[in-house]
Amino acid sequence: MQKAVRRIISDIKSLRIQGARNIARAALRGIALEIKASKARSLSALYKELQQTAVALASARPTEPMLRNTINDVSRFAFFQIKKDAKTVAQAKQLIVKKEEELLKRMEDDVKRLTEYGAKLIPEGATVMTYCHSSTVTGILKRAHEIKKGISIIACETRPLFQGRITAHELAEANIPVRLIVDSAMNAFMKNVDICIVGADAVTSRGDLINKIGTSTLAHIARFHDVSFYSAAELYKYSPLTVFGQLERIEERAPDEIWPRAPKGVVISNPAFDATAARYISGYITEVGVLPPQSLFAIATEKLGVKIYE
Ligand code: RUB
């Protein structure tokens, strides 16, 4: 495997590349890099190399359907389409790289549409609480600021890796009023909040949301205060296997992210994500509009081209 691709994998594992969209985009870039540099002499050798790269990239973060769905698109394309259309390795390489460019473009178009729906949804002068760092959410907030909604943001710092600081920094650079609070201050500040918007790592067939650990706490507190709670989720965040009863696996990360050199005898648990039940979610902001949690499954299934009747 190319050194640059191994680097992408280690950057995803270490969270130097973080957030579902950035991870999926980096993986696509990784596939294109590998294919462009491939020395395969036959179509089957090229396909094998693609599969190995795809599996290595897809396993870099286990709780990421967008990563898996996007990589699946390239693999399926290579398997079915290239067999049909490519006569030489050079042609196949060209087709795969073109597919990668198309997918990146589609991701950009989708998030642009989603951003517009999200910005429209935010009330004038609203205080918005957010959690962790989601490029989709910061995109919505920047757009809302651009169309002069007069918003201000409360960002939770998001222990243990403080992705909330990335959010706060990015919004401050965009001249959006932003306040950073510790996660345990969520409840104290919720009475000043008009709307909560978080990102999404995965959405299940029941409409439950899997996102950074602590998201469900925020959703429960928002419900207690009657504040609406939205998740910004492109349809590619949907996890298709959940309709067949498979649970989305929650990634367990290294204990030293919480306490490096912890004393012997202290057991540390460090799940990266938690699940928020659909009933706490006012809606998903997607590229086709703001959807009730229960309907995301049908629309995403269609977009992903997953067949559930056969
Ligand atoms: C990031 C996180 C984000 C989602 C969505 O977790 O939970 O809310 O990934 O991000 P981590 P985006 O920092 O562990 O990757 O909207 O950018 O896809």
Side-chain angles (χ1 to χ4, degrees), residues 3-24 26 29 60-61 133 161 163 166 212 251 253 257:
K3 203 170 152 204
V5 181
R6 288 203 304 269
R7 179 71 193 267
I8 289 176
I9 293 174
S10 78
D11 282 354
I12 292 175
K13 285 186 175 161
S14 69
L15 293 201
R16 214 164 296 135
I17 300 173
Q18 63 79 228
R21 289 189 78 247
N22 291 334
I23 292 170
R29 221 175 45 238
R61 297 248 2 226
H133 175 259
L161 294 180
Q163 290 94 327
I166 308 176
K212 180 55 55 191
E251 180 186 3
R253 294 187 61 87
E257 284 184 351

Side-chain angles (χ1 to χ4, degrees), residues 142-161:
K142 286 179 192 169
R143 182 67 187 138
H145 179 68
E146 210 172 79
I147 59 173
K148 309 222 174 325
K149 283 274 173 113
I151 56 169
S152 58
I153 315 302
I154 299 179
C156 304
E157 66 177 355
T158 317
R159 264 195 57 83
L161 294 180

Side-chain angles (χ1 to χ4, degrees), residues 16 44 65 149 170 186 210 271 305:
R16 214 164 296 135
S44 60
K149 283 274 173 113
E170 189 180 326
M186 268 176 200
I210 292 165

